[in-house]
Amino acid sequence: GAVVSQHPSWVICKSGTSVKIECRSLDFQATTMFWYRQFPKQSLMLMATSNEGSKATYEQGVEKDKFLINHASLTLSTLTVTSAHPEDSSFYICSARATGEAGELFFGEGSRLTVL
Amino acid sequence: GQNIDQPTEMTATEGAIVQINCTYQTSGFNGLFWYQQHAGEAPTFLSYNVLDGLEEKGRFSSFLSRSKGYSYLLLKELQMKDSASYLCAAMDSNYQLIWGAGTKLIIKP
């Protein structure tokens, strides 16, 4: 099946710093990628939909200036958590859907962010 | 509004069969997904149903009834490694996934 690679898997940073998480589709082109966060024992919460070549669409309650999303190519989307605070500590997961496909989503491995 | 309901937690015995139910209400419908998620890991795809009926894939089967807004995931010959959370997600008319909170499945020897 298709592979989505997410990097880094683990990141620990100090409060106030920024962290960038990359999501790559390795063997297919993804017009649309999705970014989620997941708190312990809770379901996935969609943060934003990232479309190649255009601005991301953010879900209600998600600060676009804090969670910067860039989808510069058909195989790469990045999420930057700016001025991170301890409450931003979470599991961030990306997923991608192949261009033209309306079905299965392929998930990255996830990135666990801990803000000290 | 859009809503997905599934049980919070279920317990079953190794070697047995378990059925995890999911009901959904969405604006339009473009299919129902089941994902498996082990603790600390990303979800992995299990099944996709868009037509009524049962789809069988090895030990796992998924059923959909569009008229009832209902789906279930059936796991047979349970193994300890099946202990995980199982997420139900429905795709609405805009092709956005609406996620359930997940069902934590505990397998006992």
Side-chain angles (χ1 to χ4, degrees):
Chain A
V3 177
V4 175
S5 176
Q6 194 171 335
H7 177 81
S9 300
W10 295 84
V11 58
I12 300 174
C13 70
K14 292 183 178 180
S15 185
T17 60
S18 295
V19 174
K20 180 186 284 189
I21 301 170
E22 293 187 348
C23 179
R24 294 180 184 273
S25 56
L26 297 186
D27 52 2
F28 67 100
Q29 293 185 328
T31 304
T32 303
M33 291 186 174
F34 303 89
W35 286 96
Y36 307 85
R37 66 189 300 180
Q38 186 177 34
F39 292 107
K41 300 183 181 180
Q42 296 186 25
S43 186
L44 299 173
M45 185 191 81
L46 180 66
M47 298 175 66
T49 301
S50 171
N51 296 298
E52 187 268 334
S54 64
K55 292 182 179 179
T57 303
Y58 289 82
E59 296 299 301
Q60 192 172 7
V62 178
E63 299 174 58
K64 64 177 72 174
D65 294 330
K66 181 169 183 62
F67 299 100
L68 301 179
I69 291 173
N70 183 280
H71 193 157
S73 76
L74 285 171
T75 59
L76 173 65
S77 176
T78 61
L79 167 68
T80 301
V81 182
T82 62
S83 187
H85 289 93
E87 56 265 30
D88 298 324
S89 298
S90 185
F91 192 46
Y92 292 87
I93 307 173
C94 72
S95 69
R97 188 162 58 215
T99 301
E101 296 290 330
E104 182 181 349
L105 283 178
F106 303 99
F107 284 88
E109 305 94 328
S111 300
R112 185 163 299 285
L113 170 64
T114 301
V115 184
L116 302 177
Chain B
Q2 306 198 101
N3 189 53
I4 305 286
D5 282 318
Q6 56 182 127
T8 303
E9 187 174 296
M10 298 182 71
T11 302
T13 305
E14 190 176 16
I17 299 173
V18 70
Q19 178 175 311
I20 303 174
N21 296 322
C22 170
T23 58
Y24 64 89
Q25 291 178 304
T26 55
S27 300
F29 181 74
N30 278 300
L32 193 291
F33 295 79
W34 284 96
Y35 284 85
Q36 179 191 62
Q37 186 178 26
H38 286 99
E41 298 180 13
T44 55
F45 173 80
L46 290 179
S47 67
Y48 171 65
N49 294 64
V50 68
L51 300 177
D52 286 350
L54 186 68
E55 296 268 350
E56 297 188 73
K57 194 184 292 186
R59 293 191 298 115
F60 293 5
S61 302
S62 57
F63 171 84
L64 176 68
S65 169
R66 295 178 64 143
S67 61
K68 295 182 179 179
Y70 167 70
S71 173
Y72 68 72
L73 179 69
L74 189 71
L75 293 77
K76 303 177 184 176
E77 301 170 19
L78 286 171
Q79 301 175 10
M80 298 303 294
K81 67 178 182 180
D82 297 329
S83 293
S85 286
Y86 291 85
L87 303 171
C88 170
M91 184 174 281
D92 69 12
S93 57
N94 293 319
Y95 296 99
Q96 298 296 318
L97 280 180
I98 313 301
W99 292 89
T103 298
K104 182 178 180 181
L105 178 62
I106 300 168
I107 310 295
K108 295 185 175 180

